[in-house]
Amino acid sequence: MRMSLFVKASPAAVKKAAAFIRGGGTAVFPTETVYGLGADALNAKAVARIFEIKKRPRFDPLIVHVASIRQAKTLARVSAGAEALMKRFWPGPLTLVLPKKKIMPDIVTAGLATVALRMPNNPTALALIKAAGTPIAAPSANSFGSLSPTTAAHARNQLKNGPDIILDAGRTRIGVESTVLTFRKGKGFILRHGGLPREEIERVTGSLDTALKGGKKPASPGQLIKHYSPRAPLRIIRATPLKPGKGLRYGYLAFTTRPSAAVKIFRILSGSGNLEEAAANLFSHLHELDAAGVDIILAEPVPAKGLGRAIMDRLKRASTPEKKRGGV
Ligand code: AMP
Ligand code: MG
């Protein structure tokens, strides 16, 4: 066990975190999606620490965070189509998978010829990247496969083998990870639904495909396995009526309305049925249900449109039955 410094995000704290990153260390920092565990993306040894701390398999490539389109162009070949999306959506929850340049270490991309890039829309994150003077490779700041952290405390509780510093800037605004998009022959494919709804991207690109459907080889390593899971097993249910079974303590994740009075431990994603609010609450509610020590979590489905796609994606992966778990 290795303790981390835990500090409120401030200019002085950002400076300290940047010094750790420059020196080959690691820092947890807020983004608008979830908290990230970052290291200098150009330092393979520093990036290796991320995999150790998270217990993340080496075949799962990282997202590299940049502070400008100009910086992105030093790391990857940016097509006109990709640049148009950057101009429209960066900073924001859109990750673009692009042909990498030589400068990117293989450990970041898991040996792929492409690299995933994103410019986060969070002042602390952008200040950190600028102060570090280097792009920052950063997956979510949780142990591999578990619930993503939407507060600094979530990160601290999961990463026992300490990053050097944790910057605390309160709850993240969006609450689900970025949307990951790639291009094949100039056409866009969504590799992961996330914080930027498909509909918004399609206003710029026209209709998009979801590359993950079918096919044996995953287009995006790390996306086919069980993921985003609470400690308690999770089941998606069709709708209420719910009969709490004998002896089991149920946690219930409702979309808009509270379940029957028999269910004592529950959280509501959004009383008004707002999918943005629901996404922002998703992981923190699951963290809380887990912390209540329930035996099983029952989750209601949400409409699969807008941010609802990202929510359903997370719930489905969290609920993968035991026998289907395991690597890709
Ligand atoms: P995260 O776990 O939030 O850091 O997201 C990283 C995910 O982005 C990985 O698990 C992959 O699914 C995807 N990804 C990152 N780099 C690439 C890449 N070069 N090609 C395809 N997918 C990628
Ligand atoms: Mg993650």
Side-chain angles (χ1 to χ4, degrees):
M1 176 137 160
R2 190 163 166 274
M3 293 297 284
S4 315
L5 279 174
F6 188 92
V7 282
K8 282 248 166 313
S10 68
V14 166
K15 239 174 121 180
K16 203 171 222 154
F20 277 121
I21 300 266
R22 273 198 309 276
T26 52
V28 169
F29 61 97
T31 78
E32 78 278 37
T33 59
V34 301
Y35 275 75
L37 168 62
D40 179 353
L42 303 181
N43 178 342
K45 224 172 129 194
V47 172
R49 272 291 291 152
I50 294 178
F51 286 89
E52 280 166 30
I53 292 174
K54 274 189 67 103
K55 303 188 188 78
R56 179 171 172 122
R58 293 281 179 102
F59 63 72
D60 193 357
L62 305 179
I63 294 172
V64 176
H65 294 71
V66 296
S68 65
I69 297 178
R70 193 167 42 77
Q71 192 174 27
K73 288 181 174 172
T74 65
L75 308 174
R77 292 208 312 277
V78 177
S79 64
E83 184 159 2
L85 290 176
M86 290 174 178
K87 286 192 168 139
R88 172 71 184 75
F89 294 112
W90 280 11
L94 175 67
T95 294
L96 295 170
V97 172
L98 302 167
K100 74 164 194 165
K101 290 192 172 169
K102 268 220 171 71
I103 188 173
M104 268 335 293
D106 278 342
I107 186 170
V108 174
T109 65
L112 298 171
T114 50
V115 62
L117 299 179
R118 167 170 122 79
M119 178 175 169
N121 188 8
N122 176 287
T124 302
L126 290 172
L128 177 64
I129 301 164
K130 282 181 197 152
T134 186
I136 296 183
S140 50
N142 54 324
S143 58
F144 183 71
S146 313
L147 292 173
S148 293
T150 54
T151 67
H154 292 159
R156 178 178 53 190
N157 295 341
Q158 290 196 42
L159 303 179
K160 300 290 189 208
N161 186 13
D164 293 304
I165 187 168
I166 298 176
L167 298 178
D168 176 9
R171 273 178 63 140
T172 61
R173 185 167 54 81
I174 292 178
V176 287
E177 296 81 351
S178 59
T179 301
V180 180
L181 187 84
T182 192
F183 299 91
R184 302 266 165 76
K185 297 188 183 129
K187 190 167 164 48
F189 283 94
I190 291 183
L191 296 172
R192 173 177 77 186
H193 292 295
L196 182 66
R198 173 183 186 155
E199 293 87 337
E200 280 194 40
I201 306 172
E202 287 182 331
R203 259 182 237 140
V204 178
T205 58
S207 82
L208 289 171
D209 278 336
T210 305
L212 276 178
K213 273 191 202 128
K216 284 205 188 94
K217 199 153 169 232
S220 197
Q223 287 302 299
L224 289 187
I225 45 181
K226 173 191 164 280
H227 217 121
Y228 313 116
S229 301
R231 180 196 49 75
L234 182 144
R235 248 188 19 232
I236 303 172
I237 56 162
R238 272 297 116 202
T240 19
L242 165 74
K243 292 192 204 90
K246 317 163 202 110
L248 279 185
R249 274 159 60 84
Y250 285 81
Y252 191 91
L253 186 68
F255 178 34
T256 61
T257 44
R258 67 154 296 167
S260 79
V263 182
K264 300 292 183 235
I265 304 171
F266 66 91
R267 292 288 182 281
I268 296 171
L269 286 174
S270 167
S272 61
N274 179 314
L275 288 168
E276 285 170 19
E277 186 184 14
N281 283 330
L282 175 70
F283 285 121
S284 58
H285 282 5
L286 288 171
H287 276 288
E288 287 169 14
L289 291 174
D290 236 2
V294 297
D295 299 308
I296 183 165
I297 296 173
L298 302 177
E300 288 179 1
V302 306
K305 60 172 194 215
L307 283 184
R309 283 203 191 87
I311 298 173
M312 284 311 292
D313 171 76
R314 305 304 182 269
L315 288 177
K316 281 180 190 155
R317 288 177 203 284
S319 69
T320 305
E322 199 69 50
K323 58 179 180 314
K324 286 198 187 151
R325 290 176 187 177
V328 263

